[in-house]
């Protein structure tokens, strides 16, 4: 297993500048670590950094899988294997985007070597369960969920896929 360096917010800005053309050279970028330093399951498994342009407030998320996990109980450090597990997340998002476009975050960069995903920032959205608990109504939700679940079920089924395609998909995930 090749070790890689987990990026700091400042290094994340440099990474975005070097490996993407999402922001112009004139954009001043500010980075804030959202996760990766708190005692939650996600906080100890992934580093998540929000990077925003001060010029127009456009932003992206840089998510990097950590090669270890820290136990919140005894501060023990455990090596995570396999490091390829984050690729399943990338493959899933890309797969769902082909089946039901605009229902998952856009992925701008997937860096397998450094286990980094640069993706659309969805922080402008609210968490559905919280909004439902507030009794907020979403008239389009049944249609949207039905379409997503229906397309996912159909396009991964024997009705659509050949046996070989189904086995490839099964092995991939």
């Amino acid at each position: 297993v090749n070790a890689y360096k987990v990026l700091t917010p400042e290094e994340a800005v440099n990474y975005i500048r070097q490996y993407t053309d999402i922001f112009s050279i004139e954009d001043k970028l500010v980075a804030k670590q959202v996760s990766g330093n708190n005692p939650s399951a996600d906080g100890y498994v992934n580093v998540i950094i929000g990077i925003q342009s001060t010029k127009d407030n456009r932003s992206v998320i840089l998510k990097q899988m950590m090669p270890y996990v820290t136990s919140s109980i005894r501060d023990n450090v455990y090596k995570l294997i396999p490091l390829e597990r984050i690729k399943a997340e990338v493959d899933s998002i890309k797969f769902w985007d082909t089946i039901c476009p605009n229902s998952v975050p856009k992925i701008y960069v997937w860096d397998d070597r450094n286990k980094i995903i640069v993706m659309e920032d969805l922080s402008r959205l609210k968490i559905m369960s919280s909004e439902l608990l507030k009794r907020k109504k979403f008239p389009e939700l049944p249609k949207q969920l039905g379409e997503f679940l229906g397309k996912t079920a159909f396009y991964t089924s024997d009705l659509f896929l050949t046996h070989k395609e189904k086995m490839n998909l099964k092995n991939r995930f």
Side-chain angles (χ1 to χ4, degrees):
V1 175
N2 292 337
Y4 57 89
K5 184 180 185 325
V6 176
L7 300 181
T8 65
E10 294 77 24
E11 292 167 331
V13 167
N14 293 334
Y15 182 93
I16 292 294
R17 292 225 183 265
Q18 184 175 355
Y19 295 104
T20 78
D21 60 356
I22 297 168
F23 300 102
S24 72
I25 294 175
E26 296 82 37
D27 283 329
K28 180 178 184 225
L29 301 181
V30 177
K32 179 181 176 192
Q33 189 161 330
V34 178
S35 178
N37 56 357
N38 58 351
S40 69
D42 194 48
Y44 283 131
V45 177
N46 298 303
V47 171
I48 300 174
I49 300 171
I51 299 158
Q52 183 175 33
S53 167
T54 59
K55 180 178 158 186
D56 59 10
N57 290 329
R58 288 180 304 124
S59 59
V60 296
I61 294 294
L62 183 143
K63 179 176 181 178
Q64 184 176 25
M65 186 188 76
M66 294 169 60
Y68 55 85
V69 65
T70 306
S71 166
S72 60
I73 298 170
R74 295 189 192 108
D75 289 329
N76 294 330
V77 174
Y78 302 99
K79 192 173 187 178
L80 292 176
I81 296 182
L83 293 176
E84 289 73 29
R85 72 189 186 283
I86 197 169
K87 183 154 180 10
E89 179 179 346
V90 172
D91 288 346
S92 297
I93 291 171
K94 288 180 177 181
F95 180 73
W96 282 321
D97 191 49
T98 62
I99 291 173
C100 204
N102 302 315
S103 63
V104 292
K106 180 176 168 69
I107 293 182
Y108 302 112
V109 174
W110 162 236
D111 178 349
D112 186 48
R113 191 174 130 261
N114 293 299
K115 308 302 182 220
I116 292 173
I117 306 170
V118 178
M119 65 174 71
E120 177 183 8
D121 182 359
L122 299 179
S123 63
R124 68 190 184 284
L125 303 176
K126 295 183 179 172
I127 297 173
M128 174 68 68
S129 59
S130 298
E131 295 301 299
L132 290 173
L133 287 172
K134 295 175 188 172
R135 299 193 180 273
K136 185 166 181 183
K137 300 212 182 290
F138 296 91
E140 294 298 310
L141 181 62
K143 180 180 180 259
Q144 292 167 334
L145 278 176
E147 180 180 350
F148 181 81
L149 294 172
K151 285 182 174 182
T152 299
F154 176 72
Y155 289 116
T156 60
S157 74
D158 294 329
L159 296 171
F160 180 75
L161 300 171
T162 66
H163 179 71
K164 183 178 179 180
E165 290 169 330
K166 177 96 179 217
M167 288 299 105
N168 288 340
L169 198 59
K170 190 175 179 181
N171 292 332
R172 183 172 161 197
F173 294 107

